[in-house]
Structure formats: structure tokens, C-alpha cells
Amino acid sequence: MSSSFRFLALALLALTGCERGPAPGLAVVDFRHARESGGTPVASWKGDQVTAEELRQRLEEMSPALRERYQTLEQKREYVEGLARFELLVQEALARGLQNDPEVLASTKRALVSRLMRSQLEEARPPVSDAEVAAYYASHEEDYVRPEQVRLSHVFLAAPRADAARVAAARAKAEKVLAEAKALPPKDFAAFGRLARTHSEEPRTQPLDGDLRYRSLEVLAQDFGPEVAEAARALVTSGPGALSSVVQTDAGLHVLQLTGHQTASDLKLEDVRQQITGRLSQEKRTQAWAELLSHLERRAGFTVDATTLSRVHVDMSTPMLPPSGPPPGTIPAPFPTAAAEQP
């Protein structure tokens, strides 16, 4: 094929591509190092170059300590040659058709999705209004304004205070349970829970290994008696794992273990405005990501044939085969880092 005919064919292909655009899954990628003309070349090769302006910018983007490596002509030559040789290797890979290698395609797809995610979630940050922040604070005020709370586990033995004989028998058993609890490692909450499951006579908490969950001292007094609340207050100074003596209430006897403590909190809206704004902004970006995925599925006419899919057998008995290629891409989580912390 003559060079003029080859040029005409390439021109027609380019014109066709401009008119119709690439087919789905196909793209034209410009791998040239310098995509814009202009500048003063410090190194050139066929169809590409490194300019003095680019080199100056690259050096200014380095830390001052790193720039010390490139003070002499030879040091700068070494850096420029490194840039050029990398680009020459890219050109050679393209000449060998490696841009269509499965590993290259898989890496490129992941890079494209990652860049799309940054564009969708980070560069287009949806605004959060003061009204939205105030509404969130109002609906979650218990997270920011709450009294001191304790978490207890208990072994309860029913013995009404007026029944002296029953109280005496229950106390003897409670003292025995307390002795067993003291013999346990201080923070072996599971072991104390087994004592509660075995001996406790409180039907609501016995199946939960005696766990009372977090309660304020006021609620604790209302639910189990002021004696339990006072005992809990005393345990706080010793910290989680501390055991009470046998505590008597109108309903019976308790052996208590402190398993958690939360100090009182009184955070105003202004104290947590920035935190709430960040949380709502993250929620909006996550929603925007989900909406983008739904839009792309609708636009592409995405469907799943459930009947055919159900016939795909998953054999758990066969050995693992060697991979036939890179694993398929999967949708990354919008925010892989931990969610915003509670106050």
C-alpha cells in the first residue's frame, strides 16, 4: 500500500470516527507526552518532546531537598533522559499492540473508574445548607446531648424485702456468686455473662448474659431501684470490670459488674456543625454515586436474565483453576475510609 493511499485511508477513518464517534467500549487515547504545541524543547524525539517550561514546573513541584539532586547539567540531563526513555518505552509497547493486553485493559479500566469516582464525588461536592445541618442536629440530638450513662451486667436473685427467710437464702447464694465472680479475670465479661445466664432470675436480661445495656443513672434507678444506681455510681471510679458487693433492692439481690461508662455530653449545634456538614456531604455524594450507576444502567438498557443466571451451577467440590486472565472489575465503595466518628 502506498504512503499516500495509507494516509487517505487513515483520514477517512478519522473522519468517520468524528461523525459517528467510537463504538461502545472503544476509545481513542492520546499517549503523547506533550499534547500541546509550543514551549522550548530541551529533549526531542519523533513526534514528542520535553520542554524547558515543563521541566521547570516539574522541578518546582519537588521538595527543596529533592531539587538538590538536579543542580548540575549532568544531573538535569539524567532526569530528562529518564522522562524520555519512559515515553519511548510507552511508544514501543503501543507499537507491539500491548494496549490491548488483558492486564493493561484491566488496569486502565480500574484507573478510569477511579478517576470517574473522584470527579463525581470529590470535584462535584454538593452543598449542605444550614437548614439541613440544623434538621440533622434536631433529629439526632440524643447523640450530642445526653446524661452520664453506665452499662452493667448483673446476676439477680428474686427475694422481696419483706420476706426475710427468702432474702437470707438469696443472700447466701448471691455471696457465693460474688465469690465466683471475683475469681474471674477482672475484664472477662463473657465469663461473668455465663454466671448470669446460669444463676440470674431476671427474665429480661438473663438470656442476654445479664446485660442491662447503657442507661442513665436516673433510668437505672427507675428500672431497678436507687440502690443499683448508687452502686453503679461507685463502680465508675474503678472502671470497667469492677464488681459491686451484694446490692439489695425491694425486688431482690443484685451482683453487678460495670462493663462500660459514657460521660455526660452537652454539645451545641455550633460545636458539631462542621462534623454534621461533613457527614451530610458524604451522604449526598454517596447518593449521587448511586444515582449515577442507576442512570448508566438505564441508559445502557442493562438487564439480568434471572432464568439463565439461575442455571449457572456453582460447584463447591472442584479444585480452584489457574486464572485465565485478570479478575473482572468491581465497583469500588464510594468511601472506603471509616465513617465520621460520633462525638
Side-chain angles (χ1 to χ4, degrees), residues 21-310:
L26 298 178
V28 177
V29 182
D30 187 353
F31 282 100
R32 291 175 300 168
H33 179 73
R35 294 177 179 81
E36 298 178 2
S37 59
T40 306
V42 295
S44 304
W45 59 97
K46 187 177 180 180
D48 218 334
Q49 63 183 11
V50 176
T51 66
E53 292 78 10
E54 178 198 354
L55 179 60
R56 187 177 300 112
Q57 179 177 343
R58 296 287 185 187
L59 293 171
E60 290 176 355
E61 291 172 354
M62 297 179 186
S63 67
L66 189 56
R67 280 180 228 155
E68 292 183 5
R69 302 182 185 179
Y70 305 109
Q71 294 300 303
T72 68
L73 173 60
E74 287 306 313
Q75 290 170 332
K76 287 183 282 189
R77 176 191 291 272
E78 181 182 358
Y79 179 70
V80 170
E81 287 177 347
L83 291 178
R85 286 167 179 164
F86 177 83
E87 297 299 331
L88 292 174
L89 289 170
V90 172
Q91 288 189 0
E92 178 62 18
L94 294 173
R96 298 186 186 188
L98 296 182
Q99 67 273 20
N100 292 317
D101 179 85
E103 291 185 12
V104 174
L105 291 174
S107 298
T108 303
K109 287 179 180 180
R110 289 185 176 89
L112 284 170
V113 171
S114 177
R115 184 63 187 88
L116 175 63
M117 177 176 288
R118 292 203 310 273
S119 175
Q120 183 74 17
L121 301 182
E122 296 179 12
E123 296 176 4
R125 292 179 178 267
V128 177
S129 68
D130 290 343
E132 289 174 312
V133 173
Y136 183 93
Y137 178 85
S139 62
H140 296 80
E141 190 170 3
E142 67 278 3
D143 292 337
Y144 308 110
V145 181
R146 59 173 178 254
E148 178 185 20
Q149 297 187 84
V150 294
R151 187 172 186 174
L152 300 172
S153 288
H154 75 153
V155 177
F156 173 74
L157 302 175
R161 195 187 295 269
D163 190 338
R166 191 171 175 185
V167 168
R171 181 173 291 278
K173 184 177 180 180
E175 293 290 354
K176 183 179 179 181
V177 170
L178 178 59
E180 291 184 41
K182 288 181 177 179
L184 299 173
K187 293 188 179 180
D188 191 346
F189 302 132
F192 186 89
R194 288 192 290 271
L195 284 178
R197 187 176 285 269
T198 301
H199 299 290
S200 185
E201 299 171 0
E202 209 288 309
R204 295 170 296 175
T205 61
Q206 184 269 344
L208 304 175
D209 293 346
D211 186 13
L212 301 183
R213 309 299 189 192
Y214 273 105
R215 301 170 190 254
S216 68
L217 295 175
E218 180 181 357
V219 171
L220 197 61
Q222 293 173 357
D223 292 347
F224 295 97
E227 300 88 350
V228 172
E230 286 303 315
R233 190 189 305 276
L235 291 176
V236 167
T237 59
S238 299
L243 293 166
S244 72
S245 58
V246 176
V247 177
Q248 183 174 9
T249 66
D250 290 341
L253 302 173
H254 301 257
V255 176
L256 306 169
Q257 183 181 55
L258 181 70
T259 58
H261 175 242
Q262 292 179 345
T263 58
S265 176
D266 187 18
L267 297 173
K268 308 301 182 187
L269 175 58
E270 289 308 314
D271 298 328
V272 292
R273 179 180 295 279
Q274 184 174 359
Q275 175 189 326
I276 294 175
T277 300
R279 181 184 295 275
L280 293 178
S281 178
Q282 178 172 311
E283 290 177 357
K284 285 190 172 189
R285 284 181 284 161
T286 301
Q287 181 181 357
W289 182 244
E291 290 174 352
L292 173 63
L293 293 174
S294 297
H295 167 71
L296 295 177
E297 289 176 1
R298 291 192 302 271
R299 189 178 70 183
F302 172 74
T303 60
V304 173
D305 188 333
T307 302
T308 302
L309 182 60
S310 66

